[in-house]
Amino acid sequence: MNIYVLMKRTFDTEEKITISGGKINEDGAEFIINPYDEYAIEEAIQVRDAQGGEVTVVSVGTEEAEKQLRTALAMGADKAVLINTEDDLEDGDQFTTAKILSEYLKDKEADLIIAGNVAIDGGSGQVGPRVAELLGISYVTTITKLEINGSSATVVRDVEGDSEVIETSLPLLVTAQQGLNEPRYPSLPGIMKAKKKPLDELELDDLDLDEDDVEAKTKTIEIYLPPKKEAGKVLEGELEDQVKELVNLLHTEAKVV
Ligand SMILES: Cc1cc2nc3c(=O)[nH]c(=O)nc-3n(C[C@H](O)[C@H](O)[C@H](O)COP(=O)(O)OP(=O)(O)OC[C@H]3O[C@@H](n4cnc5c(N)ncnc54)[C@H](O)[C@@H]3O)c2cc1C
């Protein structure tokens, strides 16, 4: 089975995020594998171990993404590919990323492509479905279970807490939802082996693409942090008085009743 994982390097949203010049400040930010892509990598490894084949992890980004690609190799992926846009592109959006990925994938005869359901930074959830559309293959999003039997697949997807079971066929792109599996940590032997595994680097030229082919379709006007929360009010005194005060505040301050 020929399996590809789409992996994005993201900043860790658990860390404090600052903005300067309309952009998220990358200095001092921690960078990680997008958490949903960790589920994707784990699932790809499990499918390969059960069915045979090879797992290739692909990322569009700068050479800094090599670190996260090496981590994916240390988890157990076989090969990694970095499509480095640093010298060619300044701006990009979901169209850009999906177009580049689909051009890379179009002649790879992938049986299964696994992406994350959403990137925790950009958060649009568009890249996976866009890649499938561009490749003309089926896709199922937010999956929590995947069973492959020959050239058919049974997929369970999360629908806002409910489950939907879908029968489909390969080639297939799925996007991973939390609960799909428990991603493994890279082991020490895994980390050692990863150093020798292939990590290829490509540029737009290698994909016969130039800047115009992947020009962003959208423009980000502004990025800003949510407004600071105002301090809450703690009511004191007898319960009956607190209730009266609360109702009064709901009328006069919050103006919700
Ligand atoms: C050249 C270039 C310049 C950019 N410049 C900016 C910028 O200035 N400001 C800005 O905010 N954003 C920039 N971006 C990022 C871009 O706008 C989006 O973050 C990106 O297209 C993915 O959208 P998303 O984050 O909503 O991911 P989603 O669609 O939510 O991601 C879903 C899944 O798609 C896959 N995926 C997403 N991105 C990648 C990737 N890069 N490589 C491999 N798989 C991926 C992963 O599996 C991920 O889990 C740039 C992108 C490119 C290519």
Side-chain angles (χ1 to χ4, degrees):
M1 174 128 355
N2 196 10
I3 309 165
Y4 285 83
V5 177
L6 312 183
M7 188 213 78
K8 184 176 184 186
R9 168 185 182 262
T10 59
F11 50 79
D12 190 348
T13 48
E14 302 276 307
E15 301 286 319
K16 188 170 165 40
I17 289 168
T18 56
I19 290 183
S20 62
K23 286 203 165 187
I24 290 165
N25 214 339
E26 297 204 347
D27 295 341
E30 276 294 316
F31 284 88
I32 54 171
I33 295 177
N34 178 44
Y36 292 96
D37 303 354
E38 288 186 346
Y39 299 119
I41 296 164
E42 176 64 38
E43 196 65 16
I45 294 168
Q46 289 187 18
V47 172
R48 179 208 56 201
D49 290 350
Q51 312 258 342
E54 197 172 70
V55 175
T56 306
V57 182
V58 192
S59 194
V60 177
T62 62
E63 69 176 11
E64 277 136 353
E66 277 181 17
K67 185 172 172 215
Q68 286 71 32
L69 286 169
R70 284 278 171 219
T71 304
L73 292 171
M75 286 172 75
D78 301 290
K79 290 180 183 169
V81 176
L82 169 65
I83 306 173
N84 192 339
T85 54
E86 200 159 16
D87 294 338
D88 299 317
L89 299 174
E90 256 183 45
D91 289 321
D93 64 1
Q94 293 77 5
F95 166 78
T96 313
T97 307
K99 177 80 180 162
I100 295 170
L101 287 167
S102 66
E103 282 299 312
Y104 168 76
L105 288 162
K106 71 178 185 195
D107 57 1
K108 299 292 181 293
E109 296 186 348
D111 299 300
L112 179 65
I113 302 170
I114 315 183
N117 149 42
V118 71
I120 57 165
D121 54 357
S124 66
Q126 289 191 23
V127 170
R130 276 179 181 270
V131 169
E133 283 289 334
L134 288 165
L135 293 173
I137 63 171
S138 309
Y139 63 92
V140 183
T141 56
T142 58
I143 73 156
T144 53
K145 196 169 176 198
L146 173 67
E147 270 173 21
I148 291 175
N149 198 350
S151 63
S152 54
T154 307
V155 186
V156 180
R157 70 180 295 260
D158 172 40
V159 202
E160 304 259 328
D162 232 332
S163 295
E164 198 171 62
V165 182
I166 293 172
E167 303 273 350
T168 182
S169 57
L170 306 184
L172 174 69
L173 183 147
V174 291
T175 72
Q177 170 67 308
Q178 190 173 12
L180 178 62
N181 52 46
E182 196 58 54
R184 69 193 69 191
Y185 288 105
S187 63
L188 193 56
I191 294 168
M192 299 311 285
K193 272 193 214 160
K195 291 183 180 161
K196 291 193 182 134
K197 290 182 180 174
L199 194 165
D200 293 339
E201 196 174 314
L202 302 175
E203 293 189 1
L204 288 194
D205 233 10
D206 301 310
L207 301 174
D208 273 338
L209 286 172
D210 60 38
E211 225 176 299
D212 291 347
D213 299 322
V214 296
E215 195 183 340
K217 302 280 188 207
T218 56
K219 190 171 175 195
T220 303
I221 307 296
E222 197 183 351
I223 292 180
Y224 53 89
L225 293 171
K228 277 201 178 131
K229 271 196 182 162
E230 286 183 23
K233 199 171 250 177
V234 179
L235 303 178
E236 287 174 353
E238 292 296 319
L239 184 63
E240 203 178 311
D241 296 333
Q242 285 189 40
V243 172
K244 277 190 194 145
E245 176 65 358
L246 178 62
V247 172
N248 178 38
L249 289 170
L250 289 173
H251 272 296
T252 56
E253 273 194 20
K255 296 194 170 68
V256 291
V257 287

